[in-house]
Amino acid sequence: MDVPGFALVTGAASGIGKACALAFAKEGCAGVALLDLNADALSSVRDEIQSICSKAANDKPTCRIEIFPTDVTNEEQVSANVQAVASLFGRIDYVVNAAGIALKHAGGAAYATSESWKRVLDVNLNGTFYVLRESARIMLSQTPIVSSLTSRPLQRGSIVNFSSIQGVVGITLSTAYTASKHGILGLTRSASEDYAKDGLRINAVCPGYTETPMTTRNPDVLKAMEERVQSAVPMQRMGRPEEIADAVLYLAGGRSSFVTGSALAVDGGYTSR
Ligand SMILES: NC(=O)c1ccc[n+]([C@@H]2O[C@H](COP(=O)([O-])OP(=O)(O)OC[C@H]3O[C@@H](n4cnc5c(N)ncnc54)[C@H](O)[C@@H]3O)[C@@H](O)[C@H]2O)c1
């Protein structure tokens, strides 16, 4: 996948973020920083990734995995921890903004509470912005990385933001989540243009229904989703976190060297209907 160098992944304690962190480690990253609100889960994920990678490499030293408990809604904490990652690794080549929350508003937009609206926007959109801003400042000041692919322009850094099928279309009872994911596409497109000529690429991935704790922890939500998947997803199945991670690593690494400002749908065909 051409991901030499160092990665920072938010939301790394669960689901898709965890799959992305593991994929970076397996595909040749020298170091991965795991950021998440959930400190206990972060430690377990670090141990799990280290164990998988050392077994694969016959116990030779491989990718360095470091954890940074972080609330992405806390600007000061985000700045301090992104800078700490850069100091530890010497640079940050890839940033994946996977931290996110989802909730439904019973009764729809007319009955959504201000509290739930603000919380979803704060984690999903503001959190993504804070991490992007601090990381971009670091990336813009570092020398470009040497690609392992021949004849490719070098890149200074690459940021992948998490939108959703709900960044492209609306889904009922999800006003705040849908607004946050549309906002992430706006952030991605505008910021990508700011730095396209500087070797800093910024893209978004738009997953469809994917099997993670976000979608499977509530049996009622899961049942409704499985029915919806049968009728609305051309592939008639949910995605696996690893399938989303593959798209993220493509967007992060040198194989997407001419791609910036894009929104890559990984949704079993949902938004193509
Ligand atoms: N699962 C899906 O079907 C699906 C579909 C489209 C998009 N997405 C997006 O993919 C991303 C990953 O989702 P997932 O399905 O892996 O969910 P998940 O619930 O399994 O993981 C989300 C992670 O984000 C962390 N997090 C939440 N609030 C945080 C905060 N304030 N600061 C730091 N970390 C925080 C959680 O602790 C958790 O570890 C999210 O942005 C989500 O919106 C998911």
Side-chain angles (χ1 to χ4, degrees):
M1 283 286 198
D2 192 39
V3 285
F6 298 92
L8 180 159
V9 180
T10 75
S14 177
I16 298 170
K18 175 182 168 183
C20 291
L22 177 59
F24 275 118
K26 279 180 166 172
E27 295 284 340
C29 249
V32 185
L34 315 180
L35 278 65
D36 201 287
L37 197 56
N38 188 336
D40 292 340
L42 269 185
S43 301
S44 312
V45 169
R46 176 196 51 206
D47 296 348
E48 192 181 332
I49 295 177
Q50 279 172 338
S51 152
I52 292 169
C53 291
S54 61
K55 266 187 209 136
N58 290 328
D59 288 329
K60 282 190 216 116
T62 53
C63 182
R64 182 171 178 185
I65 310 291
E66 300 287 345
I67 61 171
F68 292 83
T70 308
D71 180 348
V72 296
T73 68
N74 182 327
E75 278 186 73
E76 289 75 29
Q77 207 178 70
V78 166
S79 295
N81 286 348
V82 172
Q83 285 170 24
V85 173
S87 301
L88 188 74
F89 290 155
R91 57 185 295 127
I92 303 175
D93 297 292
Y94 319 104
V95 165
V96 176
N97 271 309
I101 56 171
L103 58 80
K104 295 276 186 192
H105 309 290
Y111 301 98
T113 63
S114 300
E115 192 192 5
S116 65
W117 168 266
K118 286 177 187 165
R119 181 68 190 152
V120 172
L121 269 287
D122 206 18
V123 176
N124 294 0
L125 186 55
N126 293 344
T128 297
F129 167 64
Y130 299 146
V131 174
L132 178 149
R133 181 176 59 185
E134 197 62 42
S135 309
R137 288 177 185 170
I138 289 164
M139 288 170 163
L140 288 166
S141 68
Q142 65 192 11
T143 51
I145 195 168
V146 177
S147 170
S148 57
L149 301 167
T150 51
S151 343
R152 296 283 174 124
L154 306 183
Q155 81 180 20
R156 209 174 287 279
S158 178
I159 299 175
V160 182
N161 296 326
F162 265 79
S163 182
S164 163
I165 48 176
Q166 285 173 256
V168 185
V169 296
I171 290 181
T172 187
L173 308 181
S174 291
T175 313
Y177 186 80
T178 301
S180 73
K181 295 300 182 179
H182 273 67
I184 285 171
L185 290 190
L187 167 64
T188 302
R189 288 174 177 142
S190 180
S192 71
E193 192 162 344
D194 290 338
Y195 307 116
K197 65 182 182 321
D198 302 313
L200 168 52
R201 298 185 301 107
I202 305 176
N203 290 286
V205 65
C206 300
Y209 298 106
T210 308
E211 282 175 47
T212 70
M214 182 180 275
T215 52
T216 58
R217 69 168 68 94
N218 179 331
D220 294 335
V221 171
L222 179 60
K223 188 167 177 293
M225 195 170 294
E226 282 170 344
E227 285 164 15
R228 175 98 182 120
V229 163
Q230 287 307 311
S231 61
V233 178
M235 284 190 178
Q236 296 189 325
R237 68 173 179 88
M238 292 177 77
R240 306 266 321 139
E242 298 77 15
E243 294 178 299
I244 312 301
D246 283 346
V248 168
L249 259 70
Y250 161 71
L251 288 175
R255 289 199 180 272
S256 60
S257 50
F258 197 47
V259 182
T260 198
S262 75
L264 178 58
V266 189
D267 63 1
Y270 183 92
T271 49
S272 67
R273 279 193 156 166

